[in-house]
Amino acid sequence: MIREMPLWPDAFEHHAEVKSSITVDIFYYKNRILSMILMVLVGANLMRQYTTFRQLEIFDAIARFKSFTKASEALYLTQPTVSMQMKKLSDMVGVPLIEQVGKKIYLTEDGHELARATREVFDIMDRFTMSVAERQGLKQGRLRLMAISTASYFAPRLLGEFAKRYPGIDVSLRVTNKEQVLASIANNLDDLYLLGQPPLDMDVVVTPIMDNPIVVLAAPDHPLANVKNIPLNALVDEPWLMREAGSGTRNAIERRFAEQGIVLRPRMELGSNEAIKQAILSGLGISALSQHTLVMHQPGQFAVLDVENFPISRHWYAVYPEGRQLSVVARAFLDYLLARPQPAGLQAP
Ligand code: PGA
């Protein structure tokens, strides 16, 4: 006896009668498979007819940000529009695509599948747009950049200059923390990533694009402000202000001291470069930051201490996953980064 749970609508139900002979079972399964294929085709057709690119774009944004608010901001839509379009899409697909637990949004298994399919579709469309752009000489296209927090001091400027040069190109930049940048690289979500420390455990193409010196900063009236060639161990007892654990800047400083057998004990941990600069100016301590963080400051606002083994010479890198075929626009941006001179803000303050 075979007792089947019907997996398809009533129109196909007559094939699901309870049978006992093997011959009939084979017949039954054959019909069932045909029915399922039909369902998939009908479903695919319905999806194609009624699902719009805009809905997929909204779904893609929700899958990326795991937030209706952020998705609506990114797409310049209202939140009710985003919710309504998501509901329509879910109804069309016929299964839930997301689950909301408290304030958090998770993709269901079908949601993950659709997210993958959507990205493939968008990648194909992007490649198409890019090849049109190529034929038109970079007159249109899209560039999606992601940058680690400290890169926010120069990335918008670079992107702005590039966008001025190619006004038809739609550019976007997300500045975020290391964890999110790595997740985005792993999922191949953006065109290019700007980082101070390329991931070691991923297959990526890495291009150094500019210097990133890390300098020791103190308030201008600090007693060491005018001292020459300060030995590293003279700084051990200073109250150090440090970025959060995991920050590339912090790793570089700790490594530099560790090379001399010195372990730094931060007096205070602050989650952003701006907070650290404020704390320095308030006399709370000293720190070391990328020289890029000084671009908007008047010369002399901070003392850059003359410490041995400093500045730490690092680089900024443009990174993308090894398997990714760079779009024409991303390639043009990379070429532009390599061709431009070092930014003026990098001169010592
Ligand atoms: P951070 O990264 O902003 O996390 O310090 C920058 C860097 O690696 O230099």
Side-chain angles (χ1 to χ4, degrees):
M1 286 279 279
I2 300 170
R3 185 81 185 91
E4 279 293 329
M5 293 298 287
L7 290 177
W8 51 86
D10 292 342
F12 301 103
E13 198 60 8
H14 59 281
H15 294 303
E17 288 160 8
V18 176
K19 305 285 179 190
S20 55
S21 110
I22 291 174
T23 329
V24 176
D25 286 347
I26 289 169
F27 173 79
Y28 158 74
Y29 276 116
K30 194 171 136 206
N31 277 295
R32 180 181 163 180
I33 288 164
L34 283 175
S35 309
M36 288 182 92
I37 290 171
L38 206 69
M39 278 301 295
V40 169
L41 291 177
V42 169
N45 242 343
L46 276 178
M47 252 197 94
R48 275 209 298 270
Q49 271 175 24
Y50 295 108
T51 304
T52 63
F53 247 73
R54 195 56 169 160
Q55 283 170 341
L56 290 180
E57 206 168 28
I58 290 171
F59 175 66
D60 180 55
I62 290 174
R64 281 163 186 269
F65 298 119
K66 306 282 184 309
S67 150
F68 277 72
T69 315
K70 284 190 186 153
S72 44
E73 281 168 7
L75 297 171
Y76 304 106
L77 294 172
T78 62
Q79 222 170 306
T81 307
V82 167
S83 307
M84 188 181 69
Q85 292 302 334
M86 264 308 293
K87 177 160 179 352
K88 281 190 180 168
L89 180 63
S90 255
D91 290 349
M92 182 58 53
V93 179
V95 288
L97 299 170
I98 54 174
E99 272 166 3
Q100 196 154 359
V101 181
K103 286 196 169 170
K104 285 206 153 183
I105 287 181
Y106 299 90
L107 294 189
T108 61
E109 214 179 308
D110 295 305
H112 277 295
E113 272 296 306
L114 182 61
R116 267 193 294 275
T118 303
R119 264 172 224 141
E120 272 172 38
V121 171
F122 286 163
D123 279 351
I124 292 168
M125 288 311 291
D126 281 354
R127 282 206 290 278
F128 168 71
T129 318
M130 295 313 166
S131 64
V132 173
E134 194 168 35
R135 283 194 292 280
Q136 294 197 338
L138 287 164
K139 285 204 188 101
Q140 58 177 12
R142 185 162 67 155
L143 175 66
R144 271 196 308 234
L145 267 193
M146 199 184 214
I148 191 109
S149 47
T150 304
S152 64
Y153 290 94
F154 64 86
R157 198 151 30 106
L158 296 182
L159 204 54
E161 288 167 14
F162 183 75
K164 243 186 244 156
R165 192 179 287 190
Y166 302 110
I169 289 177
D170 199 7
V171 293
S172 76
L173 168 67
R174 276 197 292 156
V175 177
T176 184
N177 61 22
K178 186 172 156 199
E179 205 178 309
Q180 288 189 13
V181 173
L182 295 183
S184 188
I185 297 178
N187 290 307
N188 196 9
L189 294 182
D190 294 88
D191 294 313
L192 273 178
Y193 302 84
L194 302 179
L195 301 170
Q197 197 175 263
L200 297 173
D201 52 352
M202 288 185 194
D203 294 330
V204 284
V205 179
V206 175
T207 314
I209 52 166
M210 72 174 103
D211 293 342
N212 177 23
I214 308 277
V215 292
V216 182
L217 298 177
D221 57 355
H222 192 282
L224 294 174
N226 295 313
V227 178
K228 293 272 165 252
N229 216 11
I230 305 163
L232 265 194
N233 56 19
L235 296 184
V236 177
D237 294 329
E238 288 290 326
W240 274 85
L241 309 165
M242 279 290 200
R243 284 278 306 276
E244 73 286 359
S247 137
T249 312
R250 178 172 176 160
N251 290 346
I253 302 165
E254 288 179 339
R255 257 202 316 272
R256 180 52 44 100
F257 277 88
E259 283 159 13
Q260 309 300 319
I262 301 171
V263 179
L264 276 187
R265 293 192 204 294
R267 167 183 189 179
M268 207 182 274
E269 208 174 85
L270 295 144
S272 75
N273 298 312
E274 287 306 305
I276 289 192
K277 285 190 292 177
Q278 288 305 321
I280 293 173
L281 292 180
S282 315
L284 282 169
I286 66 166
S287 189
L289 293 178
S290 165
Q291 198 169 311
H292 284 275
T293 63
L294 299 176
V295 284
M296 305 295 273
H297 291 278
Q298 296 299 326
Q301 212 176 337
F302 289 89
V304 177
L305 300 189
D306 181 10
V307 181
E308 67 176 16
N309 297 312
F310 270 88
I312 305 174
S313 72
R314 300 181 78 222
H315 291 94
W316 289 108
Y317 300 93
V319 171
Y320 61 93
E322 201 163 71
R324 186 177 182 102
Q325 198 189 332
L326 268 198
S327 68
V328 177
V329 175
R331 167 61 52 203
F333 184 66
L334 195 52
D335 291 345
Y336 155 78
L337 291 181
L338 293 173
R340 67 191 298 286
Q342 285 278 312
L346 259 192
Q347 266 88 66

